[in-house]
Amino acid sequence: MAESWATFGRDLHLDLTGSGGVRAALTRALREAVRTGRLAPGTRLPSSRSLAADLALARNTVADAYGDLVAEGWLTARQGSGTRVAHRTVPRPGAVRAAPPEQDRRPAHDLRVGTADVSAFPRSAWLAAGRRAISTAPNDAFGYPDPCGHPALRAALADYLARARGVRTDPARIVVCAGFMQGLAVLGRVLRARGVRELGVESYGLWLHRDVLRRAGLRTVPLTVDGHGARTEELAGHRGVRAALLTPAHQYPTGASLHPDRRAAVVDWASRTGALILEDDYDGEFRYDRQPVGALQGLDPEHVVYFGTASKSLAPALRLAWMVLPGQLAAEVAEVKAAGEWGTGALEQLTLAEFIVSGAYDRHVRAMRLRYRRRRDRLVAALADRAPHIRATGIAAGLHAVLELPPGTEQSIVQAARWQGLALDGLTRFRAPDAPTPHYDALVIGYGTPPDHAFGSALEALLGVLP
Amino acid sequence: MAESWATFGRDLHLDLTGSGGVRAALTRALREAVRTGRLAPGTRLPSSRSLAADLALARNTVADAYGDLVAEGWLTARQGSGTRVAHRTVPRPGAVRAAPPEQDRRPAHDLRVGTADVSAFPRSAWLAAGRRAISTAPNDAFGYPDPCGHPALRAALADYLARARGVRTDPARIVVCAGFMQGLAVLGRVLRARGVRELGVESYGLWLHRDVLRRAGLRTVPLTVDGHGARTEELAGHRGVRAALLTPAHQYPTGASLHPDRRAAVVDWASRTGALILEDDYDGEFRYDRQPVGALQGLDPEHVVYFGTASKSLAPALRLAWMVLPGQLAAEVAEVKAAGEWGTGALEQLTLAEFIVSGAYDRHVRAMRLRYRRRRDRLVAALADRAPHIRATGIAAGLHAVLELPPGTEQSIVQAARWQGLALDGLTRFRAPDAPTPHYDALVIGYGTPPDHAFGSALEALLGVLP
């Protein structure tokens, strides 16, 4: 026994490179010996005096290490019975049963829709804004943040949105969210609590948004979408529908701007019936043929919730978006948001506030507008030149375009593109399953996605798979 | 009519300081005229030619501004009827009906529990880490982040937690959250979906945590808390309880370290019954009398979910926390997290990863450990000296201490303190309403809350209100 313990002592590998010195190293080594089963449950350990002698350590060091492991539950210490390994099988951590990642291999060319050109993220300007914001922030800014957003960012947004998007608001009605989807989920829960059961959506849109609404307990009723946007006049025919989610500036993804008559119709509907319009203004800053059309919210701030985001204008990585609420909803939304405790990091918010107030946001949007506009022009010119039977539909705006295809060809073209290493989306993916809109074959081309240097080759790859 | 229009033109205030030049300024001025009612619904506007002449502008500029406002819905244009103000009453934004803020006036002295000393936030080191992380990040890092956390941060945490807290994990089992509460809410939903209905909690704890669990559809069953932490042996008596939320390293807020026998009992219970332990390790890095006791998770990684946070070690403003999951739960939690789409900003995550890997996190924790330890020592010494009948209970750890009071005095002392401008919490606030634990009067003193320069006067104020 004495011999085996001497061996044990010699075999203990004391790794002194970790933190905490000799005692911590001995604790780790003993813990590993229990974990790996080299010390079986019930085994009595040598006295601290004898192990200390074996290892040429101070007795207290060993006694302290034993004490640590008793406190953690690896060893037990009983009067008269000495220190023993606890009777417990020590399970190994299980392997992760995770679904394989959906998009593991990166495509050679990426024209999928939904992401800005993140290679153009203004790293230096962002870091400079962060430096100014964080080094001058009052200490309070590092405490628990207001779940509705930092006052400095809300003030900067109120000013910016009025100026750039014609939104009528004050900071108290702005709620900062960790992305559009969080805002939509919170608002969905508030609507449900108010008794809303059905919500109009556009026949084409992002399935994720419909899912979020469904999880909030709302039924989605699709509206017909055509070349003038959603047929908002259909809302009056659905008695149970008390809210509608729309993309007025640039229908997502088919690309129309909502016709003035339909803007009027939907605002009148909301005001007449007390319904609520959810305005998803995801890319409102990016219009190339004219001044951007101002937000619908400006027409009726008490019946429109305006949603904006930094995901398209800056980068999705920031997870920063904002809602502008009717006054009567602000308190309810704040309550749900606070109860969920999904605050957004305050330092990023302060950085964005400084980025906006300093003018860097406007400069970046202007630069990106030019970049995206050139890409769209290049796409349209290339089509006219080399695939004149394919038309880019929708207004000159945003980060994507829709290419109408000959009937029945969409699926095979998406498939062929994938084989060529070109990732892109067919329009079918965006169609609500219960949509009344007659379907047509088309590609949704996210020309804003690739970095500048890769756009040309992605465009070539696209031209190569078009019929 | 011609005269009134001439006046109208002259009265239009073109503010050219905004963005977009003359056309945008004219659009804004006309929009304001409609909004404010100066242009009544139905009013026919002057022709673009005549208004252009009045204002000395190009005709196209006026026509474009009219077009903008038609597109936005403020004006209508009909063949043969000219441009008119739309028939619509324009509601003003409503006032916000918000509850008055709870803590509007800042107290002169703040010893409330729950916040770190945020005046010590390492601004320069954080900015330096951010600069290194953001300037070297690949472009991908600016796209949509992994809802379970950026791989770089998960890798840094896996290493740190093994080293500092004895946690056994790999990055695939770590999920980054926007604070502990988000993690708890997500896990609560996963447990509910697995059929768990009841969850054990400590009799003393944060009401917000019990609320989050209740909102997830779980009933909370309080366990007795005494000087050895929660009586985990009571769990076996509750047949329906299949999970338990505990603070083993430092019971919150009463301050005990969970007794080794109770650590053993709860791990055995979980392993025997297939139950899950939720280990809230909110301040595990801060122990002053010995090496911190390693995490319970190390004993049984398949039955313990470990929760850590940067709120105590760095600052709540970051909204960064982490869960370490059993392998069998990782996929389910990832799914719920992704469906909620509550991602955390990737740039902050990259900054924290760099902060940890560079050693700045360890340095900061060491510095704060010294600072908090000194404050605790000062508090204990001051009590011994000037209020020897009041005892600070609990282990020497964390950012708060509990002071036992003579029976029946807690409420009047908290009240008296408030009158003196000293904010502090009584223990009663933390007690679960249905707790089996006999209650005692005490103060929970957050000695970690004030900045260094304000701690002395806060301590004096405290001594002034003690009986």
Side-chain angles (χ1 to χ4, degrees), chain B residues 420-439:
Chain B
Q420 311 281 330
L422 167 63
L424 44 71
D425 292 312
L427 181 60
T428 310
R429 283 195 85 191
F430 298 89
R431 190 168 186 263
D434 47 354
T437 308
H439 188 61

PDB file of all heavy atoms in Angstrom, chain B residues 420-439:
ATOM      1  N   GLN B 420     -32.210  58.801   4.621  1.00  0.00           N
ATOM      2  CA  GLN B 420     -30.856  59.360   4.674  1.00  0.00           C
ATOM      3  C   GLN B 420     -30.185  59.361   3.299  1.00  0.00           C
ATOM      4  O   GLN B 420     -28.996  59.644   3.194  1.00  0.00           O
ATOM      5  CB  GLN B 420     -29.977  58.544   5.623  1.00  0.00           C
ATOM      6  CG  GLN B 420     -30.581  58.265   6.980  1.00  0.00           C
ATOM      7  CD  GLN B 420     -30.466  59.458   7.903  1.00  0.00           C
ATOM      8  OE1 GLN B 420     -29.522  60.232   7.790  1.00  0.00           O
ATOM      9  NE2 GLN B 420     -31.446  59.639   8.780  1.00  0.00           N
ATOM     10  N   GLY B 421     -30.908  58.996   2.274  1.00  0.00           N
ATOM     11  CA  GLY B 421     -30.314  58.958   0.927  1.00  0.00           C
ATOM     12  C   GLY B 421     -29.455  57.731   0.702  1.00  0.00           C
ATOM     13  O   GLY B 421     -28.625  57.708  -0.220  1.00  0.00           O
ATOM     14  N   LEU B 422     -29.628  56.692   1.511  1.00  0.00           N
ATOM     15  CA  LEU B 422     -28.857  55.452   1.356  1.00  0.00           C
ATOM     16  C   LEU B 422     -29.774  54.356   0.834  1.00  0.00           C
ATOM     17  O   LEU B 422     -30.716  53.945   1.509  1.00  0.00           O
ATOM     18  CB  LEU B 422     -28.268  55.032   2.712  1.00  0.00           C
ATOM     19  CG  LEU B 422     -27.691  53.619   2.805  1.00  0.00           C
ATOM     20  CD1 LEU B 422     -26.513  53.446   1.861  1.00  0.00           C
ATOM     21  CD2 LEU B 422     -27.278  53.296   4.247  1.00  0.00           C
ATOM     22  N   ALA B 423     -29.514  53.901  -0.398  1.00  0.00           N
ATOM     23  CA  ALA B 423     -30.336  52.838  -0.982  1.00  0.00           C
ATOM     24  C   ALA B 423     -29.723  51.494  -0.622  1.00  0.00           C
ATOM     25  O   ALA B 423     -28.533  51.268  -0.851  1.00  0.00           O
ATOM     26  CB  ALA B 423     -30.409  52.999  -2.494  1.00  0.00           C
ATOM     27  N   LEU B 424     -30.531  50.611  -0.032  1.00  0.00           N
ATOM     28  CA  LEU B 424     -30.074  49.246   0.231  1.00  0.00           C
ATOM     29  C   LEU B 424     -31.282  48.321   0.233  1.00  0.00           C
ATOM     30  O   LEU B 424     -32.421  48.763   0.236  1.00  0.00           O
ATOM     31  CB  LEU B 424     -29.271  49.161   1.537  1.00  0.00           C
ATOM     32  CG  LEU B 424     -29.762  49.884   2.791  1.00  0.00           C
ATOM     33  CD1 LEU B 424     -30.988  49.203   3.355  1.00  0.00           C
ATOM     34  CD2 LEU B 424     -28.659  49.891   3.828  1.00  0.00           C
ATOM     35  N   ASP B 425     -31.018  47.020   0.207  1.00  0.00           N
ATOM     36  CA  ASP B 425     -32.092  46.042   0.128  1.00  0.00           C
ATOM     37  C   ASP B 425     -32.197  45.264   1.426  1.00  0.00           C
ATOM     38  O   ASP B 425     -31.178  44.862   2.004  1.00  0.00           O
ATOM     39  CB  ASP B 425     -31.816  45.036  -1.006  1.00  0.00           C
ATOM     40  CG  ASP B 425     -31.905  45.667  -2.374  1.00  0.00           C
ATOM     41  OD1 ASP B 425     -32.892  46.382  -2.626  1.00  0.00           O
ATOM     42  OD2 ASP B 425     -30.996  45.451  -3.194  1.00  0.00           O
ATOM     43  N   GLY B 426     -33.428  45.021   1.869  1.00  0.00           N
ATOM     44  CA  GLY B 426     -33.664  44.098   2.972  1.00  0.00           C
ATOM     45  C   GLY B 426     -33.731  42.681   2.423  1.00  0.00           C
ATOM     46  O   GLY B 426     -34.032  42.466   1.246  1.00  0.00           O
ATOM     47  N   LEU B 427     -33.447  41.693   3.266  1.00  0.00           N
ATOM     48  CA  LEU B 427     -33.450  40.298   2.807  1.00  0.00           C
ATOM     49  C   LEU B 427     -34.838  39.839   2.378  1.00  0.00           C
ATOM     50  O   LEU B 427     -34.976  38.990   1.492  1.00  0.00           O
ATOM     51  CB  LEU B 427     -32.912  39.400   3.925  1.00  0.00           C
ATOM     52  CG  LEU B 427     -32.830  37.899   3.611  1.00  0.00           C
ATOM     53  CD1 LEU B 427     -31.924  37.638   2.420  1.00  0.00           C
ATOM     54  CD2 LEU B 427     -32.335  37.121   4.830  1.00  0.00           C
ATOM     55  N   THR B 428     -35.868  40.441   2.981  1.00  0.00           N
ATOM     56  CA  THR B 428     -37.246  40.038   2.700  1.00  0.00           C
ATOM     57  C   THR B 428     -37.565  40.057   1.205  1.00  0.00           C
ATOM     58  O   THR B 428     -38.292  39.200   0.704  1.00  0.00           O
ATOM     59  CB  THR B 428     -38.214  40.983   3.453  1.00  0.00           C
ATOM     60  OG1 THR B 428     -37.790  41.055   4.811  1.00  0.00           O
ATOM     61  CG2 THR B 428     -39.643  40.483   3.397  1.00  0.00           C
ATOM     62  N   ARG B 429     -36.996  41.046   0.502  1.00  0.00           N
ATOM     63  CA  ARG B 429     -37.254  41.170  -0.947  1.00  0.00           C
ATOM     64  C   ARG B 429     -36.894  39.909  -1.718  1.00  0.00           C
ATOM     65  O   ARG B 429     -37.366  39.696  -2.827  1.00  0.00           O
ATOM     66  CB  ARG B 429     -36.372  42.280  -1.539  1.00  0.00           C
ATOM     67  CG  ARG B 429     -36.802  43.676  -1.275  1.00  0.00           C
ATOM     68  CD  ARG B 429     -36.071  44.621  -2.211  1.00  0.00           C
ATOM     69  NE  ARG B 429     -36.734  44.746  -3.491  1.00  0.00           N
ATOM     70  CZ  ARG B 429     -36.200  45.334  -4.551  1.00  0.00           C
ATOM     71  NH1 ARG B 429     -34.970  45.827  -4.486  1.00  0.00           N
ATOM     72  NH2 ARG B 429     -36.853  45.416  -5.683  1.00  0.00           N
ATOM     73  N   PHE B 430     -35.945  39.128  -1.171  1.00  0.00           N
ATOM     74  CA  PHE B 430     -35.407  38.005  -1.928  1.00  0.00           C
ATOM     75  C   PHE B 430     -36.072  36.683  -1.577  1.00  0.00           C
ATOM     76  O   PHE B 430     -35.731  35.651  -2.125  1.00  0.00           O
ATOM     77  CB  PHE B 430     -33.889  37.895  -1.664  1.00  0.00           C
ATOM     78  CG  PHE B 430     -33.142  39.113  -2.113  1.00  0.00           C
ATOM     79  CD1 PHE B 430     -32.951  40.197  -1.277  1.00  0.00           C
ATOM     80  CD2 PHE B 430     -32.670  39.193  -3.414  1.00  0.00           C
ATOM     81  CE1 PHE B 430     -32.289  41.324  -1.704  1.00  0.00           C
ATOM     82  CE2 PHE B 430     -32.001  40.315  -3.855  1.00  0.00           C
ATOM     83  CZ  PHE B 430     -31.812  41.391  -3.000  1.00  0.00           C
ATOM     84  N   ARG B 431     -37.004  36.724  -0.649  1.00  0.00           N
ATOM     85  CA  ARG B 431     -37.595  35.499  -0.161  1.00  0.00           C
ATOM     86  C   ARG B 431     -38.747  35.087  -1.067  1.00  0.00           C
ATOM     87  O   ARG B 431     -39.611  35.883  -1.394  1.00  0.00           O
ATOM     88  CB  ARG B 431     -38.110  35.743   1.257  1.00  0.00           C
ATOM     89  CG  ARG B 431     -38.543  34.500   1.967  1.00  0.00           C
ATOM     90  CD  ARG B 431     -38.765  34.806   3.454  1.00  0.00           C
ATOM     91  NE  ARG B 431     -39.053  33.594   4.160  1.00  0.00           N
ATOM     92  CZ  ARG B 431     -40.284  33.178   4.447  1.00  0.00           C
ATOM     93  NH1 ARG B 431     -41.324  33.897   4.080  1.00  0.00           N
ATOM     94  NH2 ARG B 431     -40.470  32.033   5.091  1.00  0.00           N
ATOM     95  N   ALA B 432     -38.760  33.824  -1.471  1.00  0.00           N
ATOM     96  CA  ALA B 432     -39.889  33.309  -2.258  1.00  0.00           C
ATOM     97  C   ALA B 432     -41.117  33.336  -1.359  1.00  0.00           C
ATOM     98  O   ALA B 432     -41.029  32.972  -0.186  1.00  0.00           O
ATOM     99  CB  ALA B 432     -39.598  31.898  -2.739  1.00  0.00           C
ATOM    100  N   PRO B 433     -42.268  33.770  -1.896  1.00  0.00           N
ATOM    101  CA  PRO B 433     -43.454  33.936  -1.049  1.00  0.00           C
ATOM    102  C   PRO B 433     -43.860  32.626  -0.365  1.00  0.00           C
ATOM    103  O   PRO B 433     -44.350  32.630   0.755  1.00  0.00           O
ATOM    104  CB  PRO B 433     -44.535  34.389  -2.023  1.00  0.00           C
ATOM    105  CG  PRO B 433     -43.883  34.632  -3.334  1.00  0.00           C
ATOM    106  CD  PRO B 433     -42.498  34.129  -3.304  1.00  0.00           C
ATOM    107  N   ASP B 434     -43.632  31.514  -1.039  1.00  0.00           N
ATOM    108  CA  ASP B 434     -44.064  30.227  -0.497  1.00  0.00           C
ATOM    109  C   ASP B 434     -42.894  29.462   0.137  1.00  0.00           C
ATOM    110  O   ASP B 434     -42.891  28.242   0.192  1.00  0.00           O
ATOM    111  CB  ASP B 434     -44.708  29.391  -1.615  1.00  0.00           C
ATOM    112  CG  ASP B 434     -43.856  29.386  -2.888  1.00  0.00           C
ATOM    113  OD1 ASP B 434     -42.838  30.128  -2.943  1.00  0.00           O
ATOM    114  OD2 ASP B 434     -44.200  28.641  -3.828  1.00  0.00           O
ATOM    115  N   ALA B 435     -41.887  30.185   0.623  1.00  0.00           N
ATOM    116  CA  ALA B 435     -40.673  29.548   1.126  1.00  0.00           C
ATOM    117  C   ALA B 435     -40.918  28.823   2.438  1.00  0.00           C
ATOM    118  O   ALA B 435     -41.598  29.357   3.322  1.00  0.00           O
ATOM    119  CB  ALA B 435     -39.591  30.595   1.313  1.00  0.00           C
ATOM    120  N   PRO B 436     -40.345  27.610   2.603  1.00  0.00           N
ATOM    121  CA  PRO B 436     -40.467  26.904   3.869  1.00  0.00           C
ATOM    122  C   PRO B 436     -39.472  27.426   4.908  1.00  0.00           C
ATOM    123  O   PRO B 436     -39.597  27.138   6.093  1.00  0.00           O
ATOM    124  CB  PRO B 436     -40.136  25.453   3.490  1.00  0.00           C
ATOM    125  CG  PRO B 436     -39.233  25.559   2.304  1.00  0.00           C
ATOM    126  CD  PRO B 436     -39.623  26.819   1.587  1.00  0.00           C
ATOM    127  N   THR B 437     -38.471  28.185   4.462  1.00  0.00           N
ATOM    128  CA  THR B 437     -37.427  28.655   5.366  1.00  0.00           C
ATOM    129  C   THR B 437     -37.989  29.655   6.365  1.00  0.00           C
ATOM    130  O   THR B 437     -38.675  30.588   5.966  1.00  0.00           O
ATOM    131  CB  THR B 437     -36.331  29.342   4.531  1.00  0.00           C
ATOM    132  OG1 THR B 437     -35.939  28.456   3.504  1.00  0.00           O
ATOM    133  CG2 THR B 437     -35.131  29.698   5.387  1.00  0.00           C
ATOM    134  N   PRO B 438     -37.688  29.495   7.671  1.00  0.00           N
ATOM    135  CA  PRO B 438     -38.090  30.532   8.625  1.00  0.00           C
ATOM    136  C   PRO B 438     -37.361  31.825   8.272  1.00  0.00           C
ATOM    137  O   PRO B 438     -36.169  31.799   7.938  1.00  0.00           O
ATOM    138  CB  PRO B 438     -37.612  29.995   9.979  1.00  0.00           C
ATOM    139  CG  PRO B 438     -37.025  28.645   9.737  1.00  0.00           C
ATOM    140  CD  PRO B 438     -36.874  28.433   8.270  1.00  0.00           C
ATOM    141  N   HIS B 439     -38.056  32.919   8.310  1.00  0.00           N
ATOM    142  CA  HIS B 439     -37.449  34.162   7.869  1.00  0.00           C
ATOM    143  C   HIS B 439     -36.688  34.832   9.011  1.00  0.00           C
ATOM    144  O   HIS B 439     -37.025  34.693  10.163  1.00  0.00           O
ATOM    145  CB  HIS B 439     -38.510  35.104   7.338  1.00  0.00           C
ATOM    146  CG  HIS B 439     -37.904  36.307   6.700  1.00  0.00           C
ATOM    147  ND1 HIS B 439     -37.077  36.204   5.602  1.00  0.00           N
ATOM    148  CD2 HIS B 439     -37.962  37.620   7.008  1.00  0.00           C
ATOM    149  CE1 HIS B 439     -36.657  37.408   5.265  1.00  0.00           C
ATOM    150  NE2 HIS B 439     -37.182  38.284   6.098  1.00  0.00           N
TER     151      HIS B 439
END
